[in-house]
């Protein structure tokens, strides 16, 4: 984290636009729309996809860190695959007909909220990228938790 500017204005704008799907899902639920359950499932799918994507970002950062003279540890690669595995695990309750998606959305939102801590611990991210990650993770994590808390009103 050397303080260099690495993100273009377009990258920032598109990053913030990534909050729109979750905002739309929440709006459909709060409006009492007939698509409420679809909005819950879509909100889960979107949050799970983004969480998995973050693991891919960590994997890519770990791979490219070797060219900077600081090869990643095995632990960095383990951390990189965990988001996908956790997202699938949080989907299993629906598969088995257990209570879903409320609890899974709350857990997934909390994991997304805390995910920038992994970026910070890995130390591969530029300062401006890490700042954007905090903004987006706080936004998406909070929206996902609110979806989870709204789930009992839908189901």
């Amino acid at each position: 984290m050397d303080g260099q500017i690495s993100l273009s204005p377009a990258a920032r704008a598109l990053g913030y636009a990534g909050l729109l799907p979750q905002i739309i899902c929440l709006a459909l639920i709060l409006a009492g729309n007939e698509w409420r359950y679809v909005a819950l499932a879509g909100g889960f799918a979107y949050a799970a996809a983004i969480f998995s994507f973050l693991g891919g970002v960590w994997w890519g950062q770990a791979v490219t860190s070797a060219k900077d003279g600081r090869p990643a540890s095995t632990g960095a690669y383990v951390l990189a695959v965990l988001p996908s595995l956790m997202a699938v695990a949080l989907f299993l309750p629906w598969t088995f007909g257990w209570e879903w998606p409320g609890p899974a959305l709350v857990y997934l939102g909390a994991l997304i909220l805390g995910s920038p801590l992994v970026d910070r611990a890995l130390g591969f991210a530029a300062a401006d990228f890490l700042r954007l990650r905090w903004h987006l993770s706080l936004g998406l994590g909070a929206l996902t938790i609110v979806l989870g808390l709204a789930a009992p009103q839908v189901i």
Side-chain angles (χ1 to χ4, degrees):
M1 297 192 303
D2 53 14
Q4 290 181 321
I5 302 298
S6 63
L7 296 175
S8 68
R12 290 179 203 286
L14 290 169
Y16 287 111
L19 297 175
L20 289 175
Q22 217 68 336
I23 292 169
I24 291 168
C25 289
L26 187 56
L28 287 171
I29 291 167
L30 295 177
N33 191 290
E34 64 185 31
W35 291 91
R36 291 184 316 257
Y37 191 79
V38 173
L40 280 177
F44 177 84
Y46 184 70
I50 295 298
F51 192 49
S52 293
F53 171 78
L54 292 175
V57 170
W58 298 333
W59 184 277
Q61 290 173 332
V63 167
T64 60
S65 70
K67 75 176 184 177
D68 296 332
R70 38 184 199 140
S73 67
T74 302
Y77 293 102
V78 170
L79 284 172
V81 298
L82 285 177
S84 296
L85 298 175
M86 288 189 272
V88 168
L90 289 170
F91 180 71
L92 289 177
W94 192 19
T95 306
F96 295 122
W98 301 338
E99 186 179 353
W100 191 88
L105 281 161
V106 171
Y107 295 135
L108 187 53
L111 289 166
I112 291 169
L113 276 173
S115 66
L117 295 172
V118 174
D119 287 284
R120 193 170 74 185
L122 290 173
F124 301 136
D128 63 334
F129 176 77
L130 190 55
R131 189 171 26 263
L132 181 64
R133 280 276 296 113
W134 274 108
H135 294 176
L136 298 178
S137 295
L138 292 174
L140 184 62
L143 288 165
T144 303
I145 289 170
V146 172
L147 280 175
L149 296 175
Q153 299 166 5
V154 174
I155 310 244

